């Protein structure tokens, strides 16, 4: 984790230094993200994102962003009760103790090439996120009181479409939102740490959907 954080600091410092010589070609992009398939029995991740984007000029068709993320991924194996929409609750699919449950932190860093289509009042874009990092935390398997600590690298490719809107006519800052497909799946990491005599199959850990909500602030 320290290496990922240190790499992020070094890269951002280098980009920030270069930005001072290229006025208004760089933008700071802070925001939040959610990485999930929105099913109760699968993994859900959420956290913060901070990017530094370079674009040749404000209406250029292409940009590249250095992006760092810090997320928290949780999984409950379908043991929670759900609202049935009529004032009652549906029982869990796996009553009792979960086969597996965890809460994992994940610092990540990557690059995001983007392609833009600029319209009169907004801009549309296609983004390709190539990102790597670590997952670190504790996993609890059913029947084992000991929580297994893991600290392993991950890689994912995420592709999404989005739009950028001006916050106001007199502001240079913008609001951007994107949604897309994520290849992130933590199943192999969870299985690798599974106790040898643990009798249960590890469910799929596909995140599938990536949503980003960010601000774009020209430097």
């Amino acid at each position: 984790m320290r290496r990922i954080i240190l790499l992020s600091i070094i890269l951002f410092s280098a980009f920030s230094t270069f930005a001072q010589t290229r006025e208004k070609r760089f933008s700071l992009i802070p925001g939040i993200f959610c990485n999930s398939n929105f099913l109760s029995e699968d993994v859900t991740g959420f956290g913060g994102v901070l990017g530094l984007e370079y674009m040749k000029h404000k209406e250029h068709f292409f940009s590249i962003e250095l992006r760092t993320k810090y997320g928290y991924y949780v999984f409950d194996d379908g043991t929670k009760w759900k609202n049935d929409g009529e004032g009652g609750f549906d029982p869990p699919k796996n009553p009792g103790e979960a086969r597996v449950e965890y809460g994992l932190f994940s610092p990540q860093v990557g690059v995001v090439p983007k392609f833009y289509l600029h319209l009169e009042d907004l801009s549309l874009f296609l983004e390709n996120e190539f990102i790597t990092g670590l997952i670190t935390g504790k996993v609890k398997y059913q029947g084992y009181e000991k929580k297994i600590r893991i600290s392993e690298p991950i890689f994912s490719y995420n592709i999404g479409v989005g739009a950028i809107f001006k916050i106001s006519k007199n502001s240079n800052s913008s609001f951007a939102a994107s949604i897309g497909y994520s290849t992130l799946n933590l199943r192999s990491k969870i299985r690798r740490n599974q106790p040898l005599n643990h009798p249960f199959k590890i469910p799929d850990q596909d995140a599938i959907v990536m949503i980003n909500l960010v601000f774009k602030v020209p430097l």
Side-chain angles (χ1 to χ4, degrees):
M1 184 184 297
R2 290 180 180 177
R3 292 181 179 178
I4 295 296
I5 295 174
L6 180 60
L7 178 60
S8 301
I9 293 173
I10 293 173
L11 290 175
F12 265 96
S13 298
F15 267 65
S16 298
T17 301
F18 184 69
Q20 296 176 5
T21 66
R22 295 291 187 271
E23 187 178 0
K24 296 184 179 179
R25 295 186 181 184
F26 282 80
S27 296
L28 191 66
I29 304 181
I32 58 175
F33 75 90
C34 180
N35 194 186
S36 173
N37 68 5
F38 302 101
L39 298 176
S40 63
E41 56 274 358
D42 217 335
V43 60
T44 296
F46 52 90
V49 56
L50 181 64
L52 189 63
E53 181 186 56
Y54 172 77
M55 181 183 287
K56 189 174 181 179
H57 56 77
K58 66 178 182 179
E59 294 186 353
H60 199 58
F61 74 95
F62 176 78
S63 75
I64 188 164
E65 178 188 341
L66 171 67
R67 179 176 291 177
T68 62
K69 301 165 70 173
Y70 193 82
Y72 180 64
Y73 292 85
V74 295
F75 180 70
D76 67 16
D77 201 19
T79 59
K80 291 184 178 180
W81 289 69
K82 296 189 301 181
N83 193 312
D84 62 5
E86 298 180 355
F89 290 90
D90 291 327
K93 293 185 177 182
N94 302 305
E97 189 179 7
R99 289 171 293 179
V100 60
E101 58 182 325
Y102 58 76
L104 301 174
F105 292 96
S106 179
Q108 303 170 32
V109 61
V111 293
V112 188
K114 300 179 186 177
F115 297 91
Y116 284 88
L117 174 63
H118 298 286
L119 305 176
E120 185 175 351
D121 296 322
L122 58 84
S123 295
L124 305 177
F125 63 89
L126 172 71
E127 62 179 5
N128 298 272
E129 182 182 76
F130 301 88
I131 199 154
T132 187
L134 295 174
I135 54 170
T136 180
K138 295 181 179 180
V139 182
K140 184 178 180 181
Y141 300 88
Q142 182 175 343
Y144 294 83
E145 294 184 1
K146 180 180 178 182
K147 294 182 178 181
I148 310 299
R149 177 169 291 279
I150 65 175
S151 182
E152 298 182 5
I154 58 170
F155 172 82
S156 66
Y157 167 69
N158 310 311
I159 183 171
V161 294
I164 299 178
F165 307 88
K166 279 278 190 179
I167 294 178
S168 67
K169 291 184 178 180
N170 298 324
S171 175
N172 290 324
S173 299
S174 305
F175 171 76
S178 66
I179 183 170
Y181 173 75
S182 173
T183 64
L184 182 65
N185 192 317
L186 302 180
R187 188 167 186 260
S188 64
K189 310 299 182 184
I190 304 304
R191 287 187 62 189
R192 187 173 299 155
N193 292 273
Q194 183 179 0
L196 293 177
N197 52 349
H198 184 256
F200 300 103
K201 179 182 178 181
I202 301 300
D204 197 12
Q205 302 294 296
D206 223 336
I208 299 179
V209 178
M210 174 67 74
I211 298 175
N212 296 308
L213 302 173
V214 301
F215 290 99
K216 184 174 180 178
V217 184
L219 296 178

